């Protein structure tokens, strides 16, 4: 028996392939470490639309609310491009984030030594990089009302609304300060206070929360455009970056690419604690469904595997086991085992998705 429950939503494209490797790793922890999980599986995204006519059924939504953690693969694909907005695969993901109220999205950008050459930036700029972007995930321009495409006179107008309440800003700021205390104790907050009122409020509230509750943490502010520039110029100046939903979406993709491959980066989306003390949580790779390579064994499962490592750490308080899994991934990379996205001129041992999973399992065995 176990009191740890997981809901796997593998989704579309490469989601099911990369998640299959995670399932094997979950099994490994049960068999070899006595850390068992009760795992259920369900549909999200395009596959849910194909089966049920909606990217997320109410039953799946309810199940997601009950479990300790949701593991999500990826959603979307060209086949669904022409669907109405409300039926698109991405809406399934957005509904999960919104209804579970997963306001703090943790997106680490870490550069593995074995891959430092792989970045499009110079090696000394990225080697040893370890930053964490905290993106506000349940509000801002992705959810604000009014929104829509309206008729104005004889032309159409597209409207989205950037809206943040003080409490929405304060709670994600607290997440950032708490996390910084466990790292290098520095937070940089990014907005556009020079042109946006929501940015002015963002800066005010972050400053207030800092002064009242976290004066020990070093806080700086940056306009998000300058932040993007600084992230490519000298990313190691940052520790924790906290920013809104839209800027966080952009800056986390940028930060991801510093590390060489989107196929490497995990994320955690966390909400308020549940009755058992564990936070509402969803873990997913930062990469998308990559329909162009789906079903060919080319996908890199590492981002999804590392997302499970984040689940071990943030949902189940198993930091040492998370370290074990992350070290296993590092060991595999150090051995030169490479899915196609990690292949470079100087070579390495080519691996399919499953072979990468095999290698991680072997490294886990070796960690015992
Ligand atoms: C992300 C993605 C999503 C987002 C899409 C798939 C809705 O880009 O998680 O960063 O924009 O939030
Ligand atoms: Mg994105």
């Amino acid at each position: 028996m176990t009191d740890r429950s997981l809901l796997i939503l593998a989704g579309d494209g490469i989601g099911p392939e990369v998640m299959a490797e995670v399932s094997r790793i979950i099994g490994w922890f049960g068999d070899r470490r006595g850390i068992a999980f009760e795992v259920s599986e369900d549909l999200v995204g395009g596959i849910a639309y194909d089966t049920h006519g909606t990217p997320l059924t109410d039953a799946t939504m309810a199940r997601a609310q009950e479990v300790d953690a949701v593991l999500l693969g990826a959603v979307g694909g060209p086949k669904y491009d022409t669907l109405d907005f409300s039926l698109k695969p991405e809406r399934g993901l957005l509904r999960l984030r919104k209804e579970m109220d997963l306001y703090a999205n943790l997106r680490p950008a870490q550069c593995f030594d074995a891959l430092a050459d792989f970045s499009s930036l110079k090696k000394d700029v990225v080697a040893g990089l370890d930053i964490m972007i905290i993106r506000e995930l349940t509000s801002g321009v992705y959810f604000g009302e009014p929104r829509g495409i309206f008729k104005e006179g004889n032309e159409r107008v597209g409207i989205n609304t950037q809206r943040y309440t003080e409490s929405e800003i304060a709670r994600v700021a607290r997440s950032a300060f708490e996390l910084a205390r466990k790292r290098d104790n520095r937070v940089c907050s990014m907005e556009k206070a020079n042109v946006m009122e929501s940015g002015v409020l963002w800066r005010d509230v972050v400053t207030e929360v800092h002064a009242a509750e976290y004066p020990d943490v070093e806080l700086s502010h940056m306009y998000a455009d300058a932040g993007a520039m600084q992230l490519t110029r000298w990313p190691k100046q940052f520790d924790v970056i906290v920013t809104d939903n839209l800027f966080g979406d952009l800056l986390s993709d940028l930060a991801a690419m510093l590390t060489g491959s989107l196929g490497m980066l995990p994320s955690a989306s966390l909400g308020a604690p549940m009755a058992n003390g564990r936070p509402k949580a969803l873990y997913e790779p930062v990469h998308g469904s990559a329909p162009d390579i789906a079903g060919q064994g080319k996908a890199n499962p590492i981002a999804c595997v590392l997302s499970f490592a984040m689940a071990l750490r943030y949902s189940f308080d198993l930091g040492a086991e998370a370290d074990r899994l992350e070290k296993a991934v590092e060991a595999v990379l150090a051995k030169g085992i490479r899915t196609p996205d990690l292949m470079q001129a100087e070579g390495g041992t080519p691996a399919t998705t499953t072979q990468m999973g095999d290698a991680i399992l072997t490294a886990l065995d070796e960690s015992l």
Side-chain angles (χ1 to χ4, degrees), residues 132-244:
M132 177 75 85
I133 298 194
I134 301 194
R135 164 188 177 192
E136 198 291 326
L137 201 60
T138 51
S139 186
V141 75
Y142 288 7
F143 294 98
E145 301 279 347
R147 63 181 299 160
I149 300 175
F150 303 98
K151 195 93 185 164
E152 208 174 86
N154 56 5
E155 65 172 356
R156 291 173 303 159
V157 50
I159 298 181
N160 290 91
T161 303
Q162 167 85 337
R163 179 179 189 277
Y164 270 107
T165 64
E166 288 186 276
S167 52
E168 285 169 343
I169 300 167
R171 65 183 184 172
V172 75
R174 286 192 186 97
S175 302
F177 291 127
E178 292 289 341
L179 207 79
R181 278 181 175 165
K182 296 184 188 143
R183 298 172 45 98
D184 203 30
N185 215 31
R186 293 181 294 122
V187 171
C188 181
S189 170
M190 295 188 187
E191 28 55 19
K192 285 282 289 177
N194 49 346
V195 283
M196 297 168 74
E197 284 76 7
S198 60
V200 173
L201 185 70
W202 183 281
R203 189 175 284 220
D204 278 359
V205 173
V206 172
T207 305
E208 285 161 20
V209 169
H210 174 251
E213 300 169 41
Y214 301 94
D216 54 299
V217 181
E218 188 186 312
L219 172 67
S220 58
H221 303 272
M222 221 176 253
Y223 297 139
D225 53 348
M229 183 188 69
Q230 291 297 337
L231 264 172
T232 43
R233 191 187 69 82
W234 190 245
K236 285 187 246 181
Q237 70 186 281
F238 298 109
D239 178 28
V240 173
I241 293 172
V242 63
T243 187
D244 76 13

